[in-house]
Amino acid sequence: MVEMIAVAEAAGFTAGCLAIHAARNWAEILTPLLAYLVFALVVCLTIVAGIQHASDPDQLVAMMTEAMATY
């Protein structure tokens, strides 16, 4: 599930790039959105890398899921 977030962010970034090329007049509006997507992608990839390098990834994912449910 966590890996799907990074894939979705990458897909959104790619769609944004295509949108900018298709609608160059709107580039000023779309560029900040793409910058946010790049930031979110980096955060997601960092989380995925942290989970993969954890000593017990299943426990870490369970704790993160519980924290999200609490939040």
Side-chain angles (χ1 to χ4, degrees):
M1 177 64 186
V2 176
E3 290 87 2
M4 292 303 295
I5 295 171
V7 171
E9 289 289 336
F13 177 75
T14 303
C17 287
L18 292 174
I20 281 182
H21 286 292
R24 292 177 193 233
N25 296 336
W26 292 31
E28 292 179 9
I29 296 170
L30 294 175
T31 301
L33 177 65
L34 289 177
Y36 169 76
L37 287 174
V38 168
F39 173 74
L41 179 61
V42 168
V43 169
C44 288
L45 291 175
T46 303
I47 291 171
V48 169
I51 290 172
Q52 289 177 344
H53 289 86
S55 59
D56 188 6
D58 293 330
Q59 181 183 9
L60 182 59
V61 171
M63 288 180 3
M64 290 174 69
T65 304
E66 184 178 329
M68 283 190 323
T70 303
Y71 180 70

